[in-house]
Amino acid sequence: MKEQTKQMRSANTGPIYSYLSKYPSQALAGIFSSSSFSPLLFSSLAFLISLFAAGFLISGSTASVMLAGILLYLSAVLRCAAADYASSRPKTAFNDLFNAVIDILRFTLFFSALGIHFFNNLGQQLYLFAVIIYVSLGLFVTGKIGNQVAAKGQTEANPQIDEERATSHTATRKGSTWSAWLKMFFGLEQQDTAAFLAMICCLAGLTLPLFWLALAAGLFVTLGLVSAGRKNKSGFSMPDPFYFYMAGIVLICVLIYQMDLQTIAQSLKEVGWGALWAFATAALWVLVNTWALSVLMHHKVPFKTVLYVELTGNAYNNILPLAGLGGEPYKVKVLSEHVGIDRAGRAVIQNRLIHSMTGLLFTAMMVFTSLALVDLSDELFTFLLIGGCVAAVFSLSIGFVVMSSAPGKFSGYLLKRLKFLKEYKDEPLPTMTFLSAVFWQVVGRSCNLVEIYAIYVLLGFSPGFPDLVLVSTFLSITGAVFFLIPQGLGVNEASISTAFSILGYATTLGLSFGLIRRARVIVWALLGVFLHLYVMFRDRNKKPLISNTDVAESKF
């Protein structure tokens, strides 16, 4: 028990714990132990207190900033107490994942709110860009560490980072020492020390250097995580998705710099809660795409299960910066409980290939429709014509690959390499099943026009069909060309602004358009993650949500 407690404290506490924090922490842990509540309740309270701290920071007054620092330290003490209390209870994978995620988010929210505080008071866009970058780093680290904890079942997130990268500019200190100091600004180590330092800076009026220190530490930690993940790789390899992710973030900052922020803010304010109507349109293609995946499995899996897989799996696709593939292994895992690991793997790979194929096919359809309906310059007409023809050719090529034995062979190779199975039986995809899946995925992509129409209306326009098609055309082309940038960060907003310019609308409203779509992605991703966490929490001591069927008797 002592060893377990020591391990938990090593990740969550620092020297401040020994001299200050341990007294209230242990007292609170004693009070908690007399209750029947889960330690997660007290971790959640710590997160709630951090939210209040962030709110006080944004409000702007000196007294509010001082109070925010005190609240952050109190939240750290409460989190330490929750860890002490948890050390006497059985540990679960869900608790590990929950704590790892909210620990990072607590500090990400606090330092982001600090940057917003400076932006509001100083009015310099530099701080707005710094906040965007810091939030992006925080979300990346959250996904990275959350994935590590979920995969390895670690009690606390204590990531392995490339010490040489993290300390390359400071030869006078040992890498491990600097690593600990850097990681604490994301709540990965010595949380109470980081919170105590933030409190002292808030009380002493030193919040400006604190913010830039947190941003620099966040950058070094993130680069260290990326470098550690690729340090042992040899030979040629693609650049880490992180760099494409950050390229999109930088492009968004450039677009914001070139736009009138007041116009953007006013347009988004006028939209208000009406944006929920635009968010709701995503349900159309979610249901249609779910049906398409069900078709590939010959409806052997209950539709509600496939819908659950689509919602949660695509949520991780959107969150994890892996070119939209982060949730596919999870889909295979859940679906395999019904149709076996080989068939589930083959269906998911076929579905992903058909998704790519219909993306290019839909791009060609929108391009040729735009050429017929929209008055374009000769240069743009030629560019789109070439792009549409190329998309059509690649779409047909992917279609031939799907109908071949390649998806099955690749699925079998991958599953055997991962030691999920020893033998693999390949089964070709029937032509009618393939055509049916293609049809429904094209219908699902067409549903995106409904969202485009809804956002047009929210922004005060009465769009014609050509207006819808041209925006869809530019979104489709940029999505195909810049597929390595997660969720088309930056390039989607730029493409919409370009389409708005051609149609004669203000390009600033094009950015507002893109931000509403970006908010929709976030809302549905959070919905999927919360659904997954709810199911994990509900069923951790029960039978799984997805009950096993007789896999041996399940045949296509």
Side-chain angles (χ1 to χ4, degrees):
M1 181 67 68
K2 291 182 178 179
E3 180 63 26
Q4 185 180 13
T5 304
K6 180 180 179 181
Q7 291 176 355
M8 297 190 70
R9 287 175 181 168
S10 66
N12 281 301
T13 62
I16 297 298
Y17 182 87
S18 301
Y19 298 100
L20 180 62
S21 304
K22 74 174 182 181
Y23 303 107
S25 173
Q26 292 178 353
L28 288 173
I31 297 174
F32 298 161
S33 62
S34 63
S35 69
S36 59
F37 294 114
S38 167
L40 294 185
L41 174 63
F42 305 109
S43 297
S44 300
L45 288 176
F47 180 75
L48 183 61
I49 293 174
S50 299
L51 287 179
F52 280 110
F56 280 115
L57 277 178
I58 295 175
S59 66
S61 66
T62 302
S64 296
V65 172
M66 297 172 68
L67 180 58
I70 295 173
L71 288 176
L72 181 67
Y73 178 69
L74 291 178
S75 74
V77 171
L78 183 58
R79 176 66 181 90
C80 292
D84 287 339
Y85 172 44
S87 65
S88 62
R89 298 169 61 93
K91 87 170 191 177
T92 65
F94 176 80
N95 289 10
D96 299 342
L97 178 61
F98 182 85
N99 287 325
V101 169
I102 67 167
D103 284 346
I104 302 172
L105 291 180
R106 282 194 302 119
F107 286 89
T108 300
L109 286 171
F110 182 84
F111 291 118
S112 300
L114 187 58
I116 296 174
H117 163 78
F118 289 120
F119 173 70
N120 291 336
N121 285 272
L122 302 178
Q124 298 179 12
Q125 286 189 344
L126 174 64
Y127 291 98
L128 177 60
F129 300 149
V131 169
I132 293 175
I133 292 174
Y134 184 79
V135 170
S136 303
L137 295 174
L139 293 177
F140 180 88
V141 172
T142 301
K144 193 86 170 179
I145 300 303
N147 188 47
Q148 289 181 8
V149 173
K152 299 179 181 179
Q154 296 172 342
T155 301
E156 295 292 342
N158 187 20
Q160 179 72 28
I161 77 170
D162 188 344
E163 306 292 354
E164 293 178 1
R165 169 66 71 90
T167 61
S168 60
H169 298 290
T170 309
T172 58
R173 296 292 186 92
K174 291 183 179 180
S176 58
T177 303
W178 275 101
S179 172
W181 279 98
L182 292 172
K183 286 189 283 187
M184 76 177 188
F185 284 97
F186 267 143
L188 300 175
E189 276 196 17
Q190 304 184 28
Q191 291 184 28
D192 62 331
T193 302
F196 183 79
L197 176 62
M199 179 181 68
I200 294 301
C201 289
C202 289
L203 293 175
L206 299 175
T207 50
L208 186 59
L210 175 67
F211 172 71
W212 291 112
L213 179 61
L215 179 60
L219 183 60
F220 277 115
V221 169
T222 309
L223 291 175
L225 282 170
V226 172
S227 298
R230 305 177 66 83
K231 195 172 184 179
N232 297 325
K233 294 185 178 181
S234 60
F236 174 79
S237 61
M238 289 293 292
D240 193 276
F242 167 76
Y243 298 109
F244 297 106
Y245 169 71
M246 289 308 299
I249 296 299
V250 171
L251 182 54
I252 288 179
C253 292
V254 172
L255 289 173
I256 292 176
Y257 178 77
Q258 295 176 343
M259 302 293 182
D260 183 357
L261 293 180
Q262 292 184 349
T263 303
I264 297 174
Q266 182 62 31
S267 63
L268 294 178
K269 182 178 180 181
E270 292 176 357
V271 169
W273 291 103
L276 294 178
W277 290 106
F279 299 165
T281 60
L284 297 174
W285 62 79
V286 168
L287 292 173
V288 174
N289 290 338
T290 299
W291 184 258
L293 178 57
S294 182
V295 165
L296 290 173
M297 293 182 294
H298 290 251
H299 308 293
K300 294 294 184 180
V301 181
F303 184 79
K304 68 176 182 179
T305 301
V306 184
L307 179 60
Y308 169 78
V309 167
E310 278 288 291
L311 285 172
T312 54
N314 288 338
Y316 292 112
N317 280 343
N318 291 328
I319 292 173
L320 300 178
L322 298 173
L325 299 175
E328 302 308 303
Y330 164 78
K331 292 182 181 181
V332 175
K333 178 180 181 298
V334 178
L335 294 174
S336 66
E337 297 180 7
H338 283 267
V339 296
I341 189 69
D342 53 344
R343 291 172 177 171
R346 182 172 58 251
V348 169
I349 291 175
Q350 289 170 342
N351 184 66
R352 171 54 61 175
L353 287 173
I354 293 175
H355 181 78
S356 300
M357 172 196 168
T358 55
L360 293 169
L361 177 62
F362 188 72
T363 297
M365 293 168 57
M366 291 295 99
V367 166
F368 296 140
T369 305
S370 295
L371 296 179
L373 298 179
V374 182
D375 185 18
L376 302 170
S377 65
D378 293 339
E379 294 81 2
L380 185 58
F381 185 95
T382 303
F383 170 77
L384 290 179
L385 179 61
I386 295 174
C389 292
V390 171
V393 170
F394 274 97
S395 176
L396 292 175
S397 301
I398 295 176
F400 283 117
V401 172
V402 176
M403 290 300 294
S404 70
S405 60
K409 290 181 178 178
F410 178 75
S411 176
Y413 170 78
L414 183 63
L415 294 173
K416 285 190 288 185
R417 288 281 295 180
L418 295 175
K419 303 185 184 302
F420 284 140
L421 49 78
K422 294 182 179 179
E423 299 296 332
Y424 179 80
K425 181 180 179 181
D426 185 28
E427 295 182 9
L429 179 65
T431 302
M432 291 306 299
T433 301
F434 166 73
L435 293 177
S436 179
V438 169
F439 169 77
W440 286 112
Q441 288 216 19
V442 170
V443 171
R445 290 188 177 277
S446 300
C447 291
N448 282 270
L449 295 173
V450 179
E451 180 196 41
I452 294 173
Y453 177 82
I455 298 176
Y456 261 119
V457 172
L458 289 173
L459 293 175
F461 300 116
S462 298
F465 187 65
D467 298 334
L468 306 180
V469 170
L470 191 64
V471 170
S472 179
T473 297
F474 276 86
L475 283 173
S476 300
I477 288 180
T478 54
V481 174
F482 299 101
F483 67 95
L484 286 175
I485 296 181
Q487 295 304 307
L489 284 170
V491 295
N492 282 353
E493 287 75 14
S495 67
I496 296 173
S497 296
T498 302
F500 265 46
S501 176
I502 296 172
L503 294 169
Y505 299 120
T507 55
T508 300
L509 294 178
L511 182 57
S512 301
F513 195 112
L515 291 176
I516 294 174
R517 293 186 73 252
R518 188 71 57 198
R520 183 262 301 165
V521 172
I522 294 173
V523 167
W524 279 88
L526 292 176
L527 175 64
V529 171
F530 285 141
L531 176 62
H532 186 207
L533 292 178
Y534 165 74
V535 170
M536 288 177 61
F537 182 78
R538 190 193 70 178
D539 297 329
R540 56 180 177 168
N541 295 321
K542 301 178 183 179
K543 295 176 66 176
L545 171 74
I546 315 300
S547 60
N548 291 327
T549 59
D550 189 354
V551 174
E553 298 296 328
S554 178
K555 296 182 179 180
F556 281 121

